[in-house]
Amino acid sequence: MPALDLTTPENPPLRNIDFSSWQSLLATMFGLALVTLIGVGIRLLTMVTIQQRRERANRQINERLRTLIAAYKTLGGSFTGTLTVDPAHRRDLRQRSVTAVGEDAEALDLGAADTGSDRARRIRDAVEAALSDIILLGTEEQVQLAAQAAHELVAGRPVPTHALVVSMRDFIREALDLDPMPRDLALPAQGPTRPSSSGGRGKGEQGKAESARGGGGGGMGMGGGSGATPADDPQPSEPSSPRS
């Protein structure tokens, strides 16, 4: 049976590239270049979008880790001393001191409250700021522990921070792709970081006072020098007139 020829003037044979004339060749090359350019543009746009998303995610992760590491240092920077946060304010300490018996004891307690409450107040303020950051950027477990610690502070009870420190330590090490802590390693309990003493400030004020006193002494010395009268200089004798 002979094969059917479907090629008619109305149905010309299909061809991909027409090399019959230079006009058709230019049109074909222009079409290929346009399709290639569109494909390259779509690919570049996709790559730029993915790269921007990755950079945004990396910035968010870095900022989150930086904030949590700072909170970890604040909540777990001490291994000795008082490892709990005292929520008492200065007015509470003064109320406690007022209840003391005797005027001498009252004055002593007031002085102790003024000197000892400053460090506790700074520790409490730093811990409250760290808890706020953890509630904002922490994991679900860390948010629960931070909220519990905040409730304890509001209730006026001392708050240990060791459980929250352990949770943050494990999360930070996992995020930084570090090896987990050995299970047989026993670490002591950790507490909030103690602020640096104000000794440098006291030394600076003492130096200013000493310089002021030295300046006053120098002024007195200058005043004394200006009040002293110089010794009487002998009057120069007039030259004798020549004898005529």
Side-chain angles (χ1 to χ4, degrees), residues 89-118:
H89 290 260
R90 181 172 296 180
R91 61 177 180 271
D92 300 330
L93 296 174
R94 290 183 177 179
Q95 289 178 359
R96 295 175 187 175
S97 62
V98 167
T99 57
V101 181
E103 297 180 355
D104 297 337
E106 180 179 355
L108 181 59
D109 291 338
L110 282 172
D114 291 336
T115 57
S117 64
D118 185 45

Side-chain angles (χ1 to χ4, degrees), residues 171-234:
F171 172 77
I172 292 172
R173 293 185 66 88
E174 182 179 358
L176 296 177
D177 198 14
L178 299 176
D179 296 334
M181 300 292 294
R183 295 184 178 181
D184 56 348
L185 180 62
L187 292 176
Q190 295 177 244
T193 303
R194 292 184 294 273
S196 59
S197 60
S198 59
R201 181 180 177 183
K203 292 180 180 179
E205 293 178 354
Q206 183 179 0
K208 290 181 179 180
E210 290 179 356
S211 62
R213 288 197 298 270
M220 292 176 62
M222 291 178 62
S226 62
T229 58
D232 295 336
D233 296 335

Side-chain angles (χ1 to χ4, degrees), residues 77-183:
S78 299
F79 291 95
T80 59
T82 303
L83 301 180
T84 57
V85 183
D86 187 7
H89 290 260
R90 181 172 296 180
R91 61 177 180 271
D92 300 330
L93 296 174
R94 290 183 177 179
Q95 289 178 359
R96 295 175 187 175
S97 62
V98 167
T99 57
V101 181
E103 297 180 355
D104 297 337
E106 180 179 355
L108 181 59
D109 291 338
L110 282 172
D114 291 336
T115 57
S117 64
D118 185 45
R119 172 176 291 187
R121 177 180 58 82
R122 287 185 290 172
I123 293 176
R124 186 195 65 243
D125 294 343
V127 169
E128 288 180 354
L131 292 178
S132 177
D133 293 336
I134 294 172
I135 292 174
L136 178 63
L137 300 175
T139 61
E140 182 179 359
E141 179 184 4
Q142 295 169 6
V143 170
Q144 292 179 356
L145 294 174
Q148 181 180 358
H151 285 299
E152 295 291 332
L153 288 175
V154 172
R157 292 187 290 268
V159 179
T161 59
H162 180 68
L164 182 56
V165 168
V166 172
S167 177
M168 294 177 60
R169 181 176 60 203
D170 295 339
F171 172 77
I172 292 172
R173 293 185 66 88
E174 182 179 358
L176 296 177
D177 198 14
L178 299 176
D179 296 334
M181 300 292 294
R183 295 184 178 181

